[in-house]
Each structure stands twice: as C-alpha cells, then as structure tokens.
Amino acid sequence: MKFTISSSALLSKTKSVSEVINPKAPLQILDHMLMEVKSNKLYITGTDLETTLTLETDLEGESVDGAVAIPARILNSTLSTFAEQPLTIELSSTDEAESSTSSSKSTEGDTKEAEPPSQTDDEDDEDYDDEDFYDDEDYEVNHQTFDPLTLSIHSTYGTYEIACRNSEEYPLISKFEAQDVLNLPTKVLLDGIQKTIYAVSTDDMRANLVGVHFDIKDDTLSFVSTDTYILAKYTISDIGFHKNIKFSVPRKPLNLIKNVLLSSTSLEKVDLAINDKRIHLDLDGTQITSSLISERFPDYTNIVDTYDVDYNLVVDCKSIINTINRMSNFSNTLTNSLQFELKDTDFINVSAQNKELSNKAEEKLKCVFSGNKPVKVTYSHRNMLQIFSNFKSGDVNIFVESPDKPTIISPAIDVDNEEENTHNTKETVLLMALRT
C-alpha cells in the first residue's frame, strides 16, 4: 500500500474516525483504525462494535492498493504536529523494514526463536470470545496470527515508522441488508436530532433512554428523547412513509450524523436504511452503521398528548435565557433551583437564593400571562437553559397545569414565516418541576 495525501486532509479524516473508537475497548484491535486504498481512493474505518464509521477521499497521483490496521492515538498525535505539506504513506512488513536486525537476531541461537503466543495469551483470547462483544451475524474477527507490519510516513523533514496490524485482524461488519428505507430532507433529520439529543439520558443504567426514539405512524415521524427530567419531542408530518415502525438510535451515531450534516453543503435528502438490528446511512462519502437500542422505549404518548392547561404564558426566548443566566449565579449550587411566581398578567417574578453563601436575587421578566390564580413553580436552571437554547429567537409558549405536574414548553407558531411551516413540523418539550 502506498499513497500521497495532504497532511491536513488526512488529519481531518483520522480525527473524525477517532470519535467512534473507544479507548477502553476490550479488544486491542479496536484501538486501531482500518486504512484501505482501492482504485485511487482512501477509506478510513473506525468501530467500537456498536457504531462503525467509514470516510472516503480521492487520492491525487499514483497509489498502490492495500490495507492495514493502524493505532489511532499515535497516528493522530503524529499528524497533528505537521505543518501543511504532502505526506507519502507506505506499508511494508517489519521483516523487510528491519531485515538486517532480523538476520542478526537469528544467529544468536535457537533460544531466541519466535514462538507462538503463550498459553496465557491464548486464555486471554478465549476470554475475549466473539460472542461476548458482538453479534456473530454482524461482525467477523479473524484470530489468526499474522506477521507484523510497519507503516512509514514520509514528510518533508523525516520518516516515521508505526507498528501496525494486518487488516484481516480488523473486525469487519457484515453487509447491511435493509428492510426499509426512510427518505428525509436533510434539514428535517438534522433538526430532529438537534432538537432532541440534548435530552438523551447520560445514565448507562437506563439503557432504553440513552438514545433518540424514532416513532413512525400514519405518515408522521416523531423524534423523542428523555432523561426523566426533560422530554423532548419533534414531529414532522407527510413524510411519504406509510409503515408503522419504531426504533431507538444511540447518542454516539446521532452525533456523528449531526456533524456530517452540519458540514455538508450538497446533501438535500438522506436515505436512512433500517433493519431489525441496525441502521445505515451513506452521507456524501461518509458511511455510518449503528446498532439499535434493543430495550423498549417507554410509552410517552399519554404524557405528551393529553394534558389540561390551567396557566399559559408567552415569553421572549432571548429574554428568558438572559434572565436564567443572571439568576443562576445566585441559585443553590446543589439544586440549581429558580422559582417562578405567576401572578401578574405582564410579568413573571423570578427569584433565586443560596443560603450557604447568603446570596439571593429577584427579577421581573416581561410576559403575557393568563391563569386562574397565582402559582409558584420551581425549576432547575440547567434544564431550562438546555431547553430554551435549542429554540430559535422569538416567543415561547409555556403551559403549566400545576406545580406538581410537567410543564409544557413549545415555540410560538409564526404564521408569517413560510420557511418554518414548509415541512409541517411541531416541537414540544416537557419539563419536570422541582419539589420544594
């Protein structure tokens, strides 16, 4: 394998692929990324056995086909130190690169003769059985012993050799067989991810909540996520898909998809291929394959779609964000609590207090309020900032049923803005109040 590429172009690809790699992976080969050259194209792949990312780029000049698994950390660390320049990457066997050293060692005696892996190593390999870390139907790992390889990086000022592993040792995902293909406008998929991923749970013990739930029913797609404090729902109707299916996608591949869509200027629509276990996307030279979350997402329809409103207020999004940021400096550092008192038709009374530091603050926030009687509700300022920061500027509707029930928050509909209504979308967020 041999090719020439810009140092910055190669670094941008390897850094992106490294986002998939788990530094604490149970198999050492998963610390590596697979580098392949085929027909004057470079393919770089990383995987954690749940998510696989492959990037491709065109090569200029002559190249020699080949493949190798290279340690991601040392490659990225080395590439990051180069100024912009062409690099020539060449693969050779370690025996070829160090033939003189090998021949001298071979004369030292039979006691230095290379031996197969020890029994301890074999036992470790048994501990890392395929079934422990991946589905046999999805991945294949070759456990044969291969000769060591060396990847040489030739720069303007020197040569750098990195010990690598044979590409056949790298776990390859099996061919994806789609059962359904969901064709979505790029903006819709990107908005759906951005408007829900912030509410995904970070608690790995809640395995059913560590991703965004896709719920397709009656030609309507709902993106839903929750961490039990916030529930975010983004809905688009008339998607042209008439099957009823549900699946949940983990946070990591969604972040990868989001980053690709944000950087792309040519993608107008995206094909999301789905089967019982995985999803697959081919995004303008970037291929992403991910396992789906097997645990069942909780039933959210009764919470979101059925509620009675006793209090309704409309506030300016930027104004309430500024108020929350100011008042957060005076809140309790453990509870992050802000109290909202609704009693005036023109203002909300916002207050915060940190008794330990003897800090407190009060502020009036302009609003339009309608309700039966005055009410006080306490929220976490962290949760509120997450929600309002994901809304565009403009008015926001806040519906309060009672202090002990979820508050419903949604951006006000701007009937004069045709762009916002192009895809028939609706955004709804539920926020749990704090108990006081």
Side-chain angles (χ1 to χ4, degrees), residues 2-159:
K2 185 176 181 180
F3 63 94
T4 300
I5 189 172
S6 159
S7 58
S8 60
L10 182 58
L11 178 61
S12 67
K13 300 294 182 183
T14 58
K15 286 181 67 176
S16 297
V17 170
S18 295
E19 294 179 13
V20 181
I21 296 173
N22 180 3
K24 298 181 180 179
L27 297 175
Q28 188 179 19
I29 190 65
L30 296 179
D31 293 337
H32 294 53
M33 58 180 69
L34 181 65
M35 190 175 288
E36 300 176 273
V37 176
K38 296 179 184 177
S39 304
N40 223 40
K41 285 182 178 289
L42 173 64
Y43 301 86
I44 304 177
T45 300
T47 185
D48 62 359
L49 298 183
E50 293 291 336
T51 303
T52 300
L53 172 65
T54 299
L55 302 182
E56 71 174 70
T57 186
D58 293 325
L59 296 174
E60 298 181 359
E62 296 183 358
S63 63
V64 178
D65 290 357
V68 67
I70 182 169
R73 186 191 62 79
I74 187 172
L75 178 62
N76 282 327
S77 180
T78 302
L79 293 176
S80 64
T81 63
F82 288 126
E84 173 60 26
Q85 61 182 293
L87 299 177
T88 299
I89 313 295
E90 187 175 9
L91 177 66
S92 62
S93 68
T94 301
D95 292 339
E96 293 176 355
E98 302 178 358
S99 56
S100 59
T101 304
S102 300
S103 59
S104 62
K105 286 186 177 181
S106 63
T107 60
E108 292 180 4
D110 294 339
T111 57
K112 299 297 183 179
E113 184 178 353
E115 297 180 357
S118 65
Q119 183 64 33
T120 302
D121 292 336
D122 289 339
E123 291 174 355
D124 290 342
D125 287 341
E126 292 177 2
D127 290 340
Y128 295 141
D129 190 88
D130 297 354
E131 297 180 357
D132 292 339
F133 301 107
Y134 58 88
D135 192 320
D136 289 339
E137 296 179 1
D138 293 341
Y139 290 90
E140 293 182 1
V141 173
N142 194 332
H143 292 292
Q144 297 180 16
T145 301
F146 297 90
D147 293 333
L149 300 172
T150 299
L151 189 77
S152 299
I153 303 175
H154 304 284
S155 74
T156 305
Y157 304 103
T159 298

